């Protein structure tokens, strides 16, 4: 099993551009999460989903959007990228028990 | 007071040492406690998962939870250079659909050969 797969691994974006961070999991988990990780700040929850068609805001949702049309996929959309969105983004999934994380997308907004 | 406090380190130990990593928390509703290991430029990897108070052992790793003191620990015995990583504690008050993890900021550990 691949687990949780994120693409791309790295991206440089210009201010005002948009992009979608892809996340897919092959464990048939209902729950999926997007986090951002900034140096010295730990992981902050951006959005989460408890199943296909259901999403909700986390701690730091501003500037982001998500959709969940299938169990497997949970893309994160950045509209009008800003330097404050420079971070490492992690997608995670779970069914019961602990969450399993992808390898991350390192995003720089310049 | 932050919900979860974790000493960021860095912590440097010689190979073979016993390592103690700790987190304190303020939310008495937390019931699920996890430790993740994160190598540089990689995603967090689950090490230990415990529910409520008590100890859990897995190989060289032991997790302890003391809910009365709101204190959790991870012990690493016979530490190896391959244990060098950032260790994140995480906790949640629910195992169901309301499950959301609250993370510590992580402790950077270096094990020197």
């Amino acid at each position: 099993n691949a687990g949780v797969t994120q693409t791309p691994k790295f991206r440089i974006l210009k201010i005002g551009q948009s992009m979608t961070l892809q996340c897919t999991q092959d464990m048939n988990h209902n729950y999926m999460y997007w986090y951002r990780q900034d140096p010295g700040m730990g992981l902050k929850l951006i959005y989460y989903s408890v199943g296909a068609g259901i999403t909700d805001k986390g701690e730091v949702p501003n500037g982001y959007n998500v959709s969940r049309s299938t169990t497997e996929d949970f893309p994160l959309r950045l509209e009008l990228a800003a330097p404050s969105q420079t971070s490492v983004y992690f997608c995670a999934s779970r069914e019961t028990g602990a969450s399993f994380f992808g390898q991350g997308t390192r995003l720089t907004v310049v | 007071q932050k919900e979860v406090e974790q000493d960021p380190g860095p912590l440097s130990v010689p190979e073979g040492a016993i390592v103690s990593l700790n987190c304190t928390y303020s939310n008495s509703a937390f019931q699920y406690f996890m430790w993740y290991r994160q190598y540089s430029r990689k995603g967090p990897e689950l090490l230990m998962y415990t529910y409520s108070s008590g100890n859990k052992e897995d190989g060289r790793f032991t997790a302890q939870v003391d809910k009365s003191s709101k204190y959790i620990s991870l012990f690493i015995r016979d530490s190896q250079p391959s244990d060098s990583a950032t260790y994140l504690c995480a906790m949640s008050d629910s195992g169901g659909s309301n499950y959301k993890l609250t993370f510590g900021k992580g402790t950077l550990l270096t094990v020197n050969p």
Side-chain angles (χ1 to χ4, degrees):
Chain A
N1 281 348
V4 179
T5 302
Q6 292 182 237
T7 57
K9 288 187 170 52
F10 306 94
R11 182 73 184 266
I12 297 174
L13 216 54
K14 291 184 178 177
I15 293 171
Q17 287 185 322
S18 301
M19 76 164 293
T20 300
L21 282 67
Q22 301 291 345
C23 175
T24 187
Q25 51 96 4
D26 62 1
M27 297 173 282
N28 204 34
H29 288 170
N30 278 310
Y31 305 119
M32 295 188 74
Y33 307 84
W34 274 106
Y35 294 90
R36 60 177 289 172
Q37 186 177 39
D38 300 304
M41 297 300 292
L43 284 139
K44 302 291 186 185
L45 181 64
I46 305 171
Y47 269 95
Y48 68 101
S49 169
V50 300
I54 307 170
T55 63
D56 206 349
K57 295 178 181 179
E59 194 178 348
V60 290
N62 291 344
Y64 307 95
N65 273 302
V66 293
S67 59
R68 184 93 182 273
S69 57
T70 67
T71 300
E72 294 78 21
D73 299 307
F74 190 40
L76 178 72
R77 178 85 178 159
L78 278 72
E79 303 282 2
L80 298 173
S84 61
Q85 292 177 306
T86 293
S87 189
V88 183
Y89 292 85
F90 289 103
C91 178
S93 75
R94 69 179 282 269
E95 191 57 35
T96 59
S99 296
F100 294 91
F101 286 80
Q103 292 300 295
T105 295
R106 189 171 295 269
L107 176 68
T108 302
V109 181
V110 296
Chain B
Q1 182 184 10
K2 289 186 171 50
E3 264 199 309
V4 178
E5 300 265 16
Q6 184 177 7
D7 186 340
L11 184 61
S12 182
V13 301
E15 183 175 354
I18 296 174
V19 176
S20 172
L21 303 166
N22 312 295
C23 288
T24 60
Y25 62 94
S26 59
N27 186 348
S28 58
F30 285 146
Q31 300 183 70
Y32 300 85
F33 303 93
M34 284 138 275
W35 286 95
Y36 286 88
R37 177 175 62 195
Q38 186 175 23
Y39 291 115
S40 180
R41 297 182 173 264
K42 297 291 186 184
E45 168 195 9
L46 179 67
L47 271 180
M48 302 289 278
Y49 176 74
T50 56
Y51 170 71
S52 195
S53 285
N55 294 358
K56 185 174 183 178
E57 188 173 321
D58 184 1
R60 296 185 294 111
F61 298 91
T62 300
Q64 287 186 350
V65 175
D66 182 348
K67 290 186 70 178
S68 62
S69 302
K70 298 191 182 68
Y71 188 86
I72 69 170
S73 300
L74 177 71
F75 297 96
I76 307 174
R77 290 183 299 279
D78 187 25
S79 56
Q80 303 294 310
S82 59
D83 295 327
S84 298
T86 297
Y87 289 80
L88 300 157
C89 65
M91 44 200 82
S92 171
D93 60 0
S94 169
S97 60
N98 290 326
Y99 169 103
K100 291 190 244 339
L101 282 177
T102 300
F103 283 86
K105 292 184 178 181
T107 299
L108 178 60
L109 170 67
T110 301
V111 180
N112 301 300

